[in-house]
Amino acid sequence: MKSVTDTFKLANGVEMPCVGYGTWETPDDVSKDLVKCALQTGYRHIDTAAAYGNEVGVGEGIKASGVKREDIFLTTKHWVSERGYEKTVAAIDSSLKNLGTDYLDLYLIHWPCVEKVTPDWAEVNADTWRGFEKAYADGKIRALGVSNFQEKHLAALAKYAKVPAVVNQIEFHPGYNQLDTVKYCQDNGILVQAWSPLGHGTVLGSEVMAKYAEKYGVTPAKICIRYALQHGIVPLPKSTNPARIADNMDVFGFEISAEDMAAIDALPEMGFTGWMPEDAPAESYYD
Ligand code: A2P
């Protein structure tokens, strides 16, 4: 990879730019300017979600950027309140309308339905997935995926999916890397994306990240972004600051050694949000 516009190829042949711009917790009213800024700076991959409440601003930012829609890889996510076939079909149309586009490049189940919600969790996910497959067949979505799934949820999905999931977006950063889930995905043709690749900013001030930043002559944020990329993972760094938006793209002039990658892999836990599919942060995640 030599720039953020270089791509990974998904198992269904769709190409995804190797670094995306994340918009989690970006308020709708500022997301327009930030997405416009990210696109004009050079990003071609934007990640949002219905639950972020900023799809309208993201769509306006895309239009305001002057970058052609077909040159942008756009992802949004299905929220837990919309589980089941009918609601899913409606949720997809609602996201398309909010974003002002007639297709998505990638659509993800934001959180799996789990045992804690219902013993029929796998069937519920299957029913939601049928809605995804319908939109895929209708040409509204170019690639289908999931987020926050672990092996158990992915294996269940693989049993009933006619169109397989080709992406799993999970929390991944130094200090919390879920390498078992990453391995399962990579062994099964599922590309991993990293949400909070900077550990939500919390790992950037650590002594260990400062040590690697100094060694490679870059910022701690760049170490985190390279760490994901060198694992074959697509990082989705978020920043509300134009200088940092630009800086986070400039990660192709150095390489973390194999030895340092292994050392970062083995770091003690830091920056973990505590959010797990079977034990999510709030009741609202279970619907
Ligand atoms: P800001 O928006 O002020 O730039 P993550 O993508 O892991 O969720 O992390 C996002 C957080 O990291 C935000 O708080 C963001 O703050 C901060 N951040 C993003 N890029 C950088 C950077 N290059 N240096 C320092 N902090 C950064």
Side-chain angles (χ1 to χ4, degrees), residues 1-283:
M1 301 286 163
K2 294 203 168 56
S3 91
V4 290
T5 55
D6 284 356
T7 58
F8 283 102
K9 194 179 262 192
L10 303 178
N12 70 344
V14 168
E15 308 244 356
M16 174 193 287
C18 67
V19 178
Y21 176 67
T23 64
W24 180 36
E25 290 184 328
T26 303
D28 200 28
D29 55 344
V30 292
S31 58
K32 174 180 174 180
D33 286 344
L34 289 168
V35 165
K36 177 181 164 196
C37 168
L39 289 167
Q40 291 185 342
T41 307
Y43 291 80
R44 288 294 178 269
H45 175 170
I46 306 290
D47 181 89
T48 182
Y52 300 170
N54 60 16
E55 287 179 324
V56 171
V58 167
E60 287 172 357
I62 288 173
K63 290 213 171 68
S65 73
V67 178
K68 282 193 252 155
R69 172 67 186 90
E70 60 266 35
D71 292 336
I72 299 167
F73 189 99
L74 177 62
T75 304
T76 193
K77 310 183 192 83
H78 167 278
W79 189 237
V80 301
S81 55
E82 310 307 313
R83 287 179 178 137
Y85 179 79
E86 301 292 343
K87 281 190 182 177
T88 296
V89 168
I92 293 165
D93 286 341
S94 160
S95 283
L96 288 171
K97 187 164 176 244
N98 286 340
L99 287 159
T101 183
D102 53 8
Y103 73 97
L104 302 169
D105 293 280
L106 177 66
Y107 193 56
L108 307 176
I109 294 187
H110 206 144
W111 289 88
C113 187
V114 294
E115 187 90 47
K116 189 165 166 177
V117 179
T118 166
D120 297 333
W121 60 272
E123 287 73 20
V124 172
N125 287 331
D127 211 25
T128 301
W129 197 252
R130 284 199 303 119
F132 276 51
E133 290 175 330
K134 164 89 170 90
Y136 186 79
D138 290 347
K140 294 180 181 176
I141 307 175
R142 297 177 67 226
L144 305 182
V146 296
S147 183
N148 301 302
F149 274 46
Q150 294 169 317
E151 179 171 343
K152 166 182 171 181
H153 316 110
L154 291 165
L157 178 91
K159 280 197 192 133
Y160 50 70
K162 294 194 181 76
V163 180
V166 292
V167 171
N168 186 19
Q169 185 181 122
I170 58 175
E171 180 173 359
F172 176 94
H173 51 76
Y176 191 71
N177 51 29
Q178 307 198 63
L179 287 181
D180 48 349
T181 301
V182 170
K183 180 170 186 331
Y184 179 85
C185 289
Q186 293 182 340
D187 286 348
N188 287 278
I190 300 171
L191 184 118
V192 178
Q193 295 183 319
W195 62 258
S196 277
L198 314 177
H200 213 36
T202 57
V203 308
L204 301 178
S206 68
E207 251 178 56
V208 64
M209 284 298 112
K211 180 186 94 180
Y212 288 116
E214 192 185 349
K215 174 171 177 182
Y216 289 95
V218 297
T219 58
K222 289 184 191 181
I223 297 289
C224 294
I225 294 165
R226 277 290 321 176
Y227 175 62
L229 278 173
Q230 289 185 218
H231 264 295
I233 292 174
V234 172
L236 306 167
K238 173 244 168 107
S239 176
T240 51
N241 174 298
R244 289 194 283 273
I245 288 174
D247 200 48
N248 291 345
M249 274 177 48
D250 177 21
V251 291
F252 300 94
F254 73 104
E255 179 156 355
I256 303 171
S257 70
E259 193 187 358
D260 288 340
M261 284 294 289
I264 297 173
D265 281 346
L267 286 175
E269 186 176 299
M270 62 177 171
F272 173 38
T273 58
W275 294 10
M276 296 294 289
E278 301 283 339
D279 190 20
E283 280 308 308

